[in-house]
Amino acid sequence: MKAWDGFGARERSADKDRSETLAAIEEAGIDLDPVPPGGHRHDDDHEHGAGGEPHHDEPDEDEPGALGHSHPHVTSDPGDPPVIGIVGAGAVGTALGVALSRGGWPVHAVASRDPARRERFRSLVEGARPFAEPTALVEEVELIIIAVPDDAIAAVAAGLRMYSGQAMVHTSGLLEPDVLQPAMAAGTQIGAFHPLVAFADLERAVAALHGATIAIEGDDQLAALLARMAEAVGGQAVRLAPGSKAAYHAAAVLAAGGFVALLDAIAELGRVAGLDEAGALAIYGPLIEQTLGNAKALGIRAALTGPMTRGDRGTLDAHLATLRRHAPDVVPLYAAAAEREIALAEARGALTPEAAESLRSSLASAV
């Protein structure tokens, strides 16, 4: 993909020249695409695979004509967004499809082996053609978004081969773009597009994309396109420092899944006090929001409160005792958080070395 702007114009000009040449050849009665026994032409009606979607046979690399197609079948007009296809109709793929469509970047195709997910995606994203296999989708689009679980990305990429002029990105917050290299051919690009959003509910996720950070990767040209795509869904694109992606993603996991684990521990202790989950969230939620507000306004260290900042070993011992009795599986989580709190309190000068050591001795006996 030499340039997105003007890409369609160059292709149409080349197609016009080819059409004139082919017309002259056809007038001479020469068939450039003979049909082998039992075969069909590439532009004939396609056979249908599972789920009723068109099936495209892909030639092996070593077969004559394996590199015969130089561009996808559908191209965007100059200045328009690229023709998009999404592989994966789970939470992330479907939310991105809805958000892109609403943002004026139409999604032309979706690929998923799950018929129910394909149908749901099609019902939510107007104009999206559903395919059972991603190989068929590649024939139809310019920009391929791989929105499958991290562990499946390499296998999906290994089963695909792009055409010149196409780009492929994945939505993993951990993996580098080079996991997509098996799908590359001359004139193709790879990258990544990772929204820092919790995709637990479709509409909430689409709404959360507005103002969300979206980490993008790719060469300068592809990154510029992905930045525009981030704007289309309401997000803010950022480019991560080399080698920082795993740390960036680990922090995201703590902020999302890690925080949910902490909420679950809070709810478990709330049950000891007679609260159900809704009650625990109603009581402790405002305290969580206040703490986050303090951290934003004052800084993380200054926002720290509680017994660790005061060196209150008696309170710590009482907490550990009741945890061992009523919620023993919460003890390691509480202790790990307390260790971090002690370090923060020391760093801001709230604890003497002696007080910190006293607190740590209680923690050491708890786990």
Side-chain angles (χ1 to χ4, degrees):
M1 182 166 45
K2 299 303 181 185
W4 286 100
D5 293 335
F7 171 80
R10 285 198 311 278
E11 290 298 325
R12 283 189 295 276
S13 176
D15 286 344
K16 182 175 182 294
D17 293 340
R18 283 193 294 270
S19 295
E20 292 174 353
T21 302
L22 289 173
I25 292 174
E26 288 175 358
E27 286 179 6
I30 300 171
D31 188 357
L32 294 180
D33 189 19
V35 182
H40 63 272
R41 297 183 191 276
H42 189 71
D43 56 356
D44 287 344
D45 291 339
H46 296 295
E47 297 176 358
H48 286 72
E53 284 75 21
H55 173 71
H56 299 259
D57 291 326
E58 292 290 330
D60 293 332
E61 272 189 53
D62 297 331
E63 288 181 3
L67 302 180
H69 296 291
S70 61
H71 60 83
H73 291 183
V74 182
T75 57
S76 55
D77 290 327
D80 286 349
V83 179
I84 296 173
I86 298 178
V87 178
V92 177
T94 302
L96 280 180
V98 170
L100 285 167
S101 182
R102 292 178 183 175
W105 285 47
V107 177
H108 181 76
V110 63
S112 173
R113 293 180 179 177
D114 186 317
R117 288 185 174 185
R118 286 200 306 272
E119 176 57 27
R120 179 171 184 259
F121 190 105
R122 188 200 60 76
S123 70
L124 292 168
V125 182
E126 184 178 357
R129 295 184 61 196
F131 295 96
E133 297 294 336
T135 49
L137 175 144
V138 172
E139 295 273 351
E140 304 288 337
V141 302
E142 295 172 296
L143 176 61
I144 304 150
I145 301 175
I146 306 296
V148 300
D150 287 6
D151 288 348
I153 292 175
V156 170
L160 301 176
R161 178 60 61 91
M162 287 188 284
Y163 298 108
S164 178
Q166 288 182 313
M168 180 183 290
V169 299
H170 63 61
T171 59
S172 170
L174 173 65
L175 300 177
E176 300 292 338
D178 59 12
V179 71
L180 302 176
Q181 281 184 349
M184 295 189 74
T188 62
Q189 294 171 291
I190 55 175
F193 186 86
H194 177 254
L196 202 60
V197 168
F199 291 90
D201 173 82
L202 175 63
E203 289 299 335
R204 285 180 177 274
V206 171
L209 284 166
H210 290 269
T213 296
I214 300 179
I216 61 173
E217 295 176 277
D219 64 25
D220 288 345
Q221 183 194 26
L222 180 57
L225 174 78
L226 297 179
R228 296 203 304 273
M229 189 163 78
E231 291 176 2
V233 299
Q236 176 63 51
V238 299
R239 298 187 75 171
L240 302 178
S244 68
K245 196 168 187 181
Y248 168 85
H249 191 247
V253 169
L254 284 175
F259 181 58
V260 170
L262 181 60
L263 286 176
D264 185 63
I266 291 170
E268 183 174 347
L269 293 173
R271 284 193 289 273
V272 178
L275 300 171
D276 60 12
E277 182 176 292
L281 291 172
I283 288 178
Y284 299 111
L287 180 58
I288 293 169
E289 293 170 359
Q290 181 189 2
T291 302
L292 179 59
N294 288 343
K296 289 179 177 179
L298 308 173
I300 292 174
R301 287 182 182 177
L304 181 66
T305 60
M308 307 315 157
T309 62
R310 301 187 296 269
D312 192 343
R313 183 174 179 175
T315 299
L316 174 60
D317 288 339
H319 288 175
L320 293 172
T322 197
L323 286 173
R324 284 192 291 263
R325 184 164 59 253
H326 297 292
D329 56 325
V330 178
V331 172
L333 179 60
Y334 183 98
E339 285 279 5
R340 190 80 179 189
E341 291 176 56
I342 293 168
L344 286 171
E346 279 188 294
R348 81 176 196 193
L351 283 181
T352 65
E354 294 76 18
E357 182 58 33
S358 176
L359 293 172
R360 289 193 175 101
S361 66
S362 285
L363 292 176
S365 62
V367 294

